[in-house]
């Protein structure tokens, strides 16, 4: 190898690590749980055709706004236009668009019992009532951080549907999670591939959810190199999903290596429930290998992480 070829080989190595300055079929966007029950009260747009007809009872302020969800995340409406921009740009580039949906039965184990206390559960609270029995919940119980939540994202109901003004392409790959009433599923890795068609909002009995056709399987099948993550909520479902994808999550899943070479958390397209736990979750994800990517415009954000096209120096001796 002659010395003049060394800069070219180094540049090629940089391209392999950082990725190209265009979106490709080996890029993917994962939007986690942007559903009505997690949304704050938002204005009904008149310049955008909603994904579905909005029931009148779900409108407020004289029919100009959507009602607040049962487990609304503050600032959630701010991420919709950012997600839409990323969706349109990646769809134009034939990249993969994926979504996860919380999809619960009314008796789901994560819900506060009637008359019970929502939020962090003490050891006596757990001992006195039902709780989820999945490995993550059991670990949370042992660590004293187990949570129970208001009823949310009930299958077949408005709260479980995609936000009506979010762009969801007909080709989206959708994973539904939390459909087993005894198991909680913060992570999109726990979801099963939904076999229904757009707009993905009819009820799927568990027999129709193929857990073996999972997010992990989809990432491998499409040879995804760069995964961009958006959605709700940063300190729970996003945190658990990202850590699992990076091989740093619950050991019970058996995932010990990253499922993608690069994972980018779109910091302008996520929101959390609690400021302190959100900051801690972002730090934890970054320490696990997630790269924090600000920027509401996809191409501008991409330019900060990619390697420009390789140009051979003049008179290179190849």
């Amino acid at each position: 190898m002659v010395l003049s070829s060394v800069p070219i080989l180094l540049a090629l190595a940089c391209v392999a690590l950082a990725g190209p300055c265009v979106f490709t079929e080996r890029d993917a966007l994962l939007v986690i749980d942007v559903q009505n029950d997690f949304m704050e009260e938002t204005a009904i747009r008149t310049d955008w055709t909603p994904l579905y007809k909005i029931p009148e009872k779900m409108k407020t302020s004289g029919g100009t706004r959507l009602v607040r969800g049962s487990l609304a995340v503050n600032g959630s409406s701010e991420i919709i236009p950012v997600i839409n921009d990323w969706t349109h740009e990646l769809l134009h580039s034939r990249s993969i668009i994926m979504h996860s949906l919380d999809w619960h039965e009314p008796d789901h184990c994560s819900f506060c019992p009637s008359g019970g206390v929502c939020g962090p559960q003490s050891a006596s609270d757990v001992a006195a009532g039902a709780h989820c029995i999945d490995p993550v919940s059991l670990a949370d119980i042992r660590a004293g951080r187990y949570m129970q939540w208001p009823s949310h994202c009930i299958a077949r109901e408005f709260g479980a549907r995609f936000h009506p003004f979010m762009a969801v392409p007909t080709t989206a790959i959708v994973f539904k999670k939390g459909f087993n009433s005894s198991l909680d599923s913060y992570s999109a890795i726990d979801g099963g591939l939904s076999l229904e068609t757009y707009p993905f909002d009819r009820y799927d009995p568990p027999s129709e959810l193929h857990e073996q056709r999972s997010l992990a399987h989809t990432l491998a099948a499409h040879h995804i190199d760069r995964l961009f993550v958006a959605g709700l909520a940063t300190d729970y479902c996003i945190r658990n999903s990202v850590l699992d994808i990076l091989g740093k999550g619950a050991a019970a899943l058996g995932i010990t290596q990253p499922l993608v070479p690069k994972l980018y958390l779109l910091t302008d397209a996520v929101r959390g429930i609690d400021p302190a736990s959100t900051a801690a979750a972002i730090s934890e994800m970054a320490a696990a290998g997630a790269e924090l990517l600000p920027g509401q415009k996809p191409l501008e954000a991409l330019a900060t992480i990619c390697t420009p096209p390789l140009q051979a120096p003049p008179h290179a001796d190849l």
Side-chain angles (χ1 to χ4, degrees):
M1 178 176 66
V2 294
L3 291 178
S4 58
S5 66
V6 172
I8 298 174
L9 294 176
L10 289 174
L12 286 171
C14 290
V15 170
L17 290 173
C21 281
V22 293
F23 293 111
T24 74
E25 294 92 338
R26 297 183 71 161
D27 291 321
L29 174 66
L30 173 61
V31 182
I32 295 175
D33 299 0
V34 180
Q35 298 165 259
N36 290 322
D37 268 344
F38 297 134
M39 297 299 299
E40 61 190 354
E41 185 179 307
T42 54
I44 294 176
R45 296 181 58 171
T46 57
D47 61 339
W48 184 287
T49 303
L51 286 173
Y52 48 82
K53 182 177 175 58
I54 301 170
E56 289 300 318
K57 66 179 181 179
M58 296 303 171
K59 299 177 183 178
T60 186
S61 300
T64 63
R65 302 181 68 83
L66 288 174
V67 297
R68 182 178 176 88
S70 64
L71 192 50
V73 177
N74 289 334
S76 52
S77 62
E78 298 167 359
I79 71 174
I80 298 298
V82 185
I83 290 173
N84 288 350
D85 284 346
W86 277 85
T87 297
H88 291 141
E89 188 62 49
L90 268 71
L91 190 63
H92 176 74
S93 303
R94 302 179 67 182
S95 303
I96 304 301
I97 309 296
M98 301 180 292
H99 285 260
S100 71
L101 289 172
D102 250 11
W103 202 251
H104 299 315
E105 289 298 311
D107 62 346
H108 193 258
C109 59
S110 71
F111 296 164
C112 312
S114 178
V117 178
C118 292
Q121 301 292 296
S122 66
S124 59
D125 291 331
V126 172
H131 58 79
C132 298
I133 58 173
D134 57 280
V136 173
S137 293
L138 294 178
D140 284 349
I141 290 170
R142 290 191 294 270
R145 58 172 182 260
Y146 181 67
M147 296 283 291
Q148 285 195 310
W149 306 99
S151 176
H152 62 275
C153 298
I154 302 299
R156 304 180 296 278
E157 294 188 2
F158 180 79
R161 303 184 83 173
F162 288 122
H163 188 270
F165 297 109
M166 180 172 64
V168 181
T170 58
T171 55
I173 299 172
V174 176
F175 303 94
K176 291 183 174 178
K177 59 189 179 69
F179 50 86
N180 186 318
S181 292
S182 299
L183 307 176
D184 208 359
S185 299
Y186 287 138
S187 176
I189 287 289
D190 294 332
L193 179 65
S194 177
L195 301 183
E196 64 182 324
T197 56
Y198 183 87
F200 314 107
D201 58 3
R202 72 172 175 81
Y203 172 61
D204 285 331
S207 62
E208 289 188 55
L209 287 164
H210 290 209
E211 292 184 72
Q212 71 273 19
R213 298 176 65 179
S214 63
L215 174 58
H217 170 89
T218 301
L219 293 171
H222 290 277
H223 307 287
I224 297 303
D225 288 330
R226 296 184 300 199
L227 179 64
F228 301 91
V229 178
L232 303 167
T234 309
D235 38 349
Y236 287 94
C237 293
I238 289 177
R239 171 191 173 272
N240 282 269
S241 299
V242 166
L243 294 180
D244 285 346
I245 292 167
L246 294 174
K248 304 293 186 180
L253 291 173
I255 301 173
T256 58
Q257 297 295 323
L259 299 178
V260 291
K262 289 284 186 180
L263 185 149
Y264 296 95
L265 181 68
L266 302 180
T267 56
D268 288 324
V270 297
R271 292 293 185 273
I273 292 175
D274 174 76
S277 61
T278 295
I282 290 174
S283 296
E284 188 177 8
M285 289 185 279
E291 297 194 28
L292 308 183
L293 183 59
Q296 298 188 4
K297 299 301 180 183
L299 293 179
E300 293 176 5
L302 181 63
T304 68
I305 61 171
C306 70
T307 302
L310 178 64
Q311 294 183 349
H315 311 300
D317 185 358
L318 298 176

